[in-house]
Amino acid sequence: MSNEKMISTIILTNGHEERLKSSIDSIINQDYPNKELIIVSTKSSEMLDEYEINPMIKIHIKPELSGSKVRNFALNQVEGEYVFFIDPQDTLLNDQSLSQLYKDMEDNNSNFLSTTFITLRDGLFYFGEPQEDVNPITTDDYWFYFVKIREIRPIYGKLFGKEILNNLNVDIQSDQ
């Protein structure tokens, strides 16, 4: 067993996206050793059936769920300490993407990683680089930044510490 914390990647899909296979394969091919992939689909597909034998992948077909209920179901399946969302139409840049995200999270003692511009550390969101130029985002004003700066609104492409997701008790009625 690896010493690295497990990264749970979540793909929310209807099962028939054109690039879903590429998205799944980009996670499977990651060099990061301690990972799982959770796929929650509202529809079954032959393509998803191809991945059922892979023990790293957990596929759930949930036609009765929609919107935030699909996301919440997926989060309840997570075993990892870190959670990464990927859009079913996207792929990771290279086979070291999860390893680099993990390294950045650990090196910065963060529990939220969006881009080089936004991190959550010690209970505060930070914008900008280098560190001395960051502007803290507090619990009082983070929704302003989420709405104003579209970059951080979607959950896709973000690495979260599981504990922060448990503390975000927000019932969002959109797919974001």
Side-chain angles (χ1 to χ4, degrees), residues 4 10 17 36 38 45 54 59 66 84 89-90 93-94 102 106 113 122 133 138 141-142 150-151 153-154 160 165 169:
E4 289 90 356
I10 295 175
E17 279 85 4
E36 70 175 349
I38 298 165
S45 73
N54 187 324
I59 299 171
S66 64
F84 182 75
Q89 302 294 324
D90 291 339
L93 186 62
N94 58 52
Y102 176 80
E106 291 293 307
L113 181 67
D122 303 322
D133 293 335
T138 67
D141 61 8
Y142 74 96
R150 181 164 161 64
E151 170 85 20
R153 286 180 55 210
F160 296 89
L165 289 172
N169 188 15

Side-chain angles (χ1 to χ4, degrees), residues 13-23 47 88-90:
T13 178
N14 69 14
H16 297 287
E17 279 85 4
E18 186 176 301
R19 292 185 40 155
L20 180 58
K21 183 171 178 33
S22 296
S23 182
M47 193 275 305
Q89 302 294 324
D90 291 339

Side-chain angles (χ1 to χ4, degrees), residues 6-13 20 23-24 27-28 35-41 48 54-62 70-80 82-88 156 162:
M6 180 181 276
I7 295 177
S8 300
T9 300
I10 295 175
I11 299 176
L12 307 176
T13 178
L20 180 58
S23 182
I24 293 170
I27 299 299
I28 291 172
K35 62 185 180 274
E36 70 175 349
L37 174 58
I38 298 165
I39 302 169
V40 181
S41 179
L48 285 175
N54 187 324
M56 184 201 76
I57 300 175
K58 300 173 188 172
I59 299 171
H60 303 276
I61 309 301
K62 295 293 180 181
V70 176
R71 183 198 63 229
N72 291 342
F73 175 84
L75 287 171
N76 285 327
Q77 309 312 306
V78 165
E79 293 182 21
Y82 290 134
V83 180
F84 182 75
F85 290 90
I86 186 169
D87 189 288
Y156 299 112
K162 186 176 180 182

Side-chain angles (χ1 to χ4, degrees), residues 17-140:
E17 279 85 4
E18 186 176 301
R19 292 185 40 155
L20 180 58
K21 183 171 178 33
S22 296
S23 182
I24 293 170
D25 290 343
S26 79
I27 299 299
I28 291 172
N29 294 329
Q30 290 296 300
D31 69 349
Y32 190 80
N34 195 8
K35 62 185 180 274
E36 70 175 349
L37 174 58
I38 298 165
I39 302 169
V40 181
S41 179
T42 56
K43 298 176 186 170
S44 62
S45 73
E46 289 181 19
M47 193 275 305
L48 285 175
D49 293 343
E50 295 175 27
Y51 293 99
E52 286 184 331
I53 60 170
N54 187 324
M56 184 201 76
I57 300 175
K58 300 173 188 172
I59 299 171
H60 303 276
I61 309 301
K62 295 293 180 181
E64 71 277 12
L65 299 178
S66 64
S68 63
K69 289 181 175 63
V70 176
R71 183 198 63 229
N72 291 342
F73 175 84
L75 287 171
N76 285 327
Q77 309 312 306
V78 165
E79 293 182 21
E81 293 183 54
Y82 290 134
V83 180
F84 182 75
F85 290 90
I86 186 169
D87 189 288
Q89 302 294 324
D90 291 339
T91 59
L92 295 177
L93 186 62
N94 58 52
D95 293 347
Q96 297 82 37
S97 294
L98 287 181
S99 294
Q100 187 59 52
L101 287 169
Y102 176 80
K103 182 182 180 322
D104 291 344
M105 288 285 274
E106 291 293 307
D107 288 352
N108 293 298
N109 193 27
S110 297
N111 54 12
F112 173 77
L113 181 67
S114 176
T115 67
T116 57
F117 301 106
I118 306 162
T119 57
L120 177 63
R121 188 173 46 257
D122 303 322
L124 296 175
F125 287 95
Y126 292 89
F127 269 126
E129 293 293 336
Q131 188 63 37
E132 57 270 5
D133 293 335
V134 298
N135 299 316
I137 303 171
T138 67
T139 55
D140 295 329

